[in-house]
Amino acid sequence: MKKTTCEIICVGTEILLGDIVNTNAQYISEGLARLGIDVFYETVVGDNPERFGKALEIAKGRADVIITTGGLGPTYDDLTKETVAKSFGRKLVLNEKCLDDITCFFANNHRNMTANNKKQAMMPEGAIVLENPQGTAPGCIIEGDDGKIAVMMPGPPREMRPMFDNLVGPYLRRFSDSMLFSRVVKVIGLGESAMEEKVLDIMESMTNPTVAPYAKSGECTLRVTAKAHDEAEAHALMDPVIDEIRRRLGNYVYGVDVASIEQIVVEQLAEKGESVSLAEVGTGGQAAKRLYGTAGGDKVFRLGMSCRNFWEMSSLFEKQMGTVCSDDSLGRVAAYFAHGIAGLTGADMGLSIIKGYGTVYFAVVDDMNEKVETYNYPSSRDDEYVGYIASSRAFDMMRRFIKGY
Amino acid sequence: MKKTTCEIICVGTEILLGDIVNTNAQYISEGLARLGIDVFYETVVGDNPERFGKALEIAKGRADVIITTGGLGPTYDDLTKETVAKSFGRKLVLNEKCLDDITCFFANNHRNMTANNKKQAMMPEGAIVLENPQGTAPGCIIEGDDGKIAVMMPGPPREMRPMFDNLVGPYLRRFSDSMLFSRVVKVIGLGESAMEEKVLDIMESMTNPTVAPYAKSGECTLRVTAKAHDEAEAHALMDPVIDEIRRRLGNYVYGVDVASIEQIVVEQLAEKGESVSLAEVGTGGQAAKRLYGTAGGDKVFRLGMSCRNFWEMSSLFEKQMGTVCSDDSLGRVAAYFAHGIAGLTGADMGLSIIKGYGTVYFAVVDDMNEKVETYNYPSSRDDEYVGYIASSRAFDMMRRFIKGY
């Protein structure tokens, strides 16, 4: 069987004007890659039926399935259905079920339905209707007599994404005999090349699953991707490889398929039923914001303090901790701050981050132990970036502190 | 003269796989819109010379200028120059100047140059070379004998963007007899429809400049866009309209062509030579992070404190301020916190934000005055979003406080 190929056509003058970034194309492409369906071309065209019609004919000449987004709205320039239906030799007919759904949508959202919303209930004859609980524009699929297929979805991402995930993806599944499944191993504290060196033989020898490294914002990841018929088969392929990677990278791995390092720390604290307060100098409170903002963070985060200069913070701890010595290293000051903030706020643990020139110092303490580490940053990096990486490093130190190594 | 049209072709299998969002197309589209050059189609194609060649021929059939990104790298699958040169009947020849630049780039960055980097110095005969100080891949322009033009730029945005802004944009200027210039009026505290109502007659009657409203993240903007030959002409068209908009919207306008509300506040404080400390409850310290992170913010920001529950913070101010009464309204607690944080840290001003159920309370104080305001938020919004909008509202209150209204 010849492999089915897909082309994506995004319809919208606002894309051609650069008013919005075409995230729809990326979302659909990623979904199709996971489904194992090849995409060779993507096209963007404005709200112009003549030019869209030409793009559609070109696409039909080089792909089996054409997926469009946009142009399903109620206004006069929304002409996707009309243009595609014409190309497939279908008439538009009123779909009573769609009309009911649209009428309900307006009633439920306390908005007035206008006459041209009725246009959204017109569907190509014989089309498969794709319901859109998020909005007023249903999508549809035309299966052409020549074997070509057109899938039409609305443009707004919050309507398109669930329609693709819940309806279009499952429909397209039949055109592929294997799907891609991925698991992601997350690493902090090891550079990309150092990580690669430890697993290079795996990366080079494996074909299913494949193992690919990726570095971003102070972390490294190894993406393990298997081609399989279902999830169980994929796991059977991937899990031994993940185990071997974990064995080689040891404690540098902070998690597999986890959202972020702060998520891990929040889960560790929640499990122990403990809280943490943070003192930050020169990072704008970035670590506190990340910790507080992650799922469950508000349960374990007690208080965060941030300032530009550590002298301004040290005065707050003097009563309880004594004066910080002017010849103390910044590492010692960091420990002083971690103890200070935990004591001042009654938290079980204290975490401090002090951004100095070229080096960030961080300390984590509880009532028994303390740990101090540093991170050297390149001067070319901006404050936001350094603050982000320093926060990640500090969270990773805390993860290891809690785990006892 | 027939108007010149442009087509963008982005080359890269990673885009078709959905690994990256195609921000290059958006950036170039926006630049071309500003230059007054029409774009009717955008295409994405993988690193495959045959398919790219076909897309190129289609583009040459429907546009005058083809702009490509990607495929200028040193590896075997980077074939943009080869494919375009072939289509235009040009040979690739070694460009000594390019080779020197690339050799220098490697020397300056302490990296080893490999044999295939030399491929990047091969240029189509007669091409205009586009220097790339950010990387190793120069771009180029071929002016075809048939009047068609191809502009090739590298794929990494940090290389492509300056090349487009500094070299390609000025080159393309000749194909348009008027450009678009925009100014943006920024508004907080007035909803989009209320804003529209006040300026609807201007929006409906003006054609050059046009006036378009836009709402995002708790702010509204009015974008005033003029079509003109140069900036002076554009300003002459736009400025009277902006003056009229300012007159109608009054103090709701916090700035024109300014980066953000926090930027305005930082500039006001810097002008007065004053500092501010912040106390936040339930926002994860978002306001402090925004203030600290904006240009010059570190000069005026003294200390920020954030916690999840206001009882945890109030104990820190008790010694200096007395106990907060349990029957005080949250508005009074906000004022107490603003005084408390300013006093505790010796800042000239104090700003507090307390996120309650459905309402955010904020207070700003100096040693003479205080101001308390509230913002009601819809329960459907997530914490991050509410924190962001509440911060914007609090900054806007502070702007008005400093201005004396």
Side-chain angles (χ1 to χ4, degrees), chain A residues 16 18 21 26 29 39 41-44 51 282 284 289 292 298-299 301-308 384, chain B residues 16 18 26 29 39 41-44 51 282 284 289 292 298-299 301-308 384:
Chain A
L16 294 181
V21 179
Q26 185 266 335
S29 301
V39 178
Y41 298 94
E42 294 172 7
T43 306
V44 178
R51 285 193 283 268
K289 181 167 181 297
Y292 186 82
D298 58 333
K299 304 283 188 300
F301 171 83
R302 192 167 281 254
L303 188 136
M305 214 181 258
S306 86
C307 66
R308 57 184 172 177
E384 175 88 17
Chain B
L16 294 181
Q26 185 267 337
S29 300
V39 178
Y41 299 94
E42 295 172 7
T43 306
V44 177
R51 285 193 284 267
K289 182 168 181 295
Y292 186 83
D298 57 335
K299 303 287 189 297
F301 171 83
R302 192 167 281 255
L303 187 136
M305 214 181 256
S306 86
C307 66
R308 57 184 172 175
E384 175 91 15

Side-chain angles (χ1 to χ4, degrees), chain B residues 92 170 177 188 219 244 322:
Chain B
L92 290 183
D177 61 356
I188 287 185
E219 298 192 15
E244 178 61 18

Side-chain angles (χ1 to χ4, degrees), chain A residues 245-382:
Chain A
I245 290 170
R246 286 195 99 126
R247 201 186 62 73
R248 303 244 191 126
L249 301 182
N251 293 337
Y252 290 114
V253 175
Y254 74 79
V256 177
D257 299 332
V258 293
S260 60
I261 180 66
E262 59 266 35
Q263 187 64 52
I264 295 290
V265 170
V266 164
E267 285 167 12
Q268 285 179 316
L269 286 169
E271 199 173 308
K272 293 177 65 170
E274 294 194 348
S275 63
V276 64
S277 288
L278 289 83
E280 298 176 67
V281 179
T283 63
Q286 195 163 180
K289 181 167 181 297
R290 282 176 67 183
L291 200 69
Y292 186 82
T294 202
D298 58 333
K299 304 283 188 300
V300 302
F301 171 83
R302 192 167 281 254
L303 188 136
M305 214 181 258
S306 86
C307 66
R308 57 184 172 177
N309 180 312
F310 74 85
W311 295 111
E312 287 167 353
M313 193 177 281
S314 53
S315 64
L316 300 179
F317 303 131
E318 271 173 17
K319 185 171 164 252
Q320 143 210 14
M321 300 269 302
T323 313
V324 63
C325 290
S326 62
D327 57 353
D328 272 350
S329 73
L330 280 178
R332 287 313 311 151
V333 177
Y336 170 94
F337 281 2
H339 285 292
I341 194 77
L344 190 66
T345 61
D348 301 298
M349 297 182 71
L351 179 67
S352 68
I353 302 178
I354 301 178
K355 189 182 161 209
Y357 291 104
T359 304
V360 184
Y361 301 81
F362 21 85
V364 59
V365 306
D366 59 16
D367 52 6
M368 301 285 286
N369 299 296
E370 69 174 47
K371 189 176 193 120
V372 178
E373 293 184 0
T374 60
Y375 157 64
N376 297 317
Y377 62 88
S379 58
S380 58
R381 289 303 197 163
D382 63 58

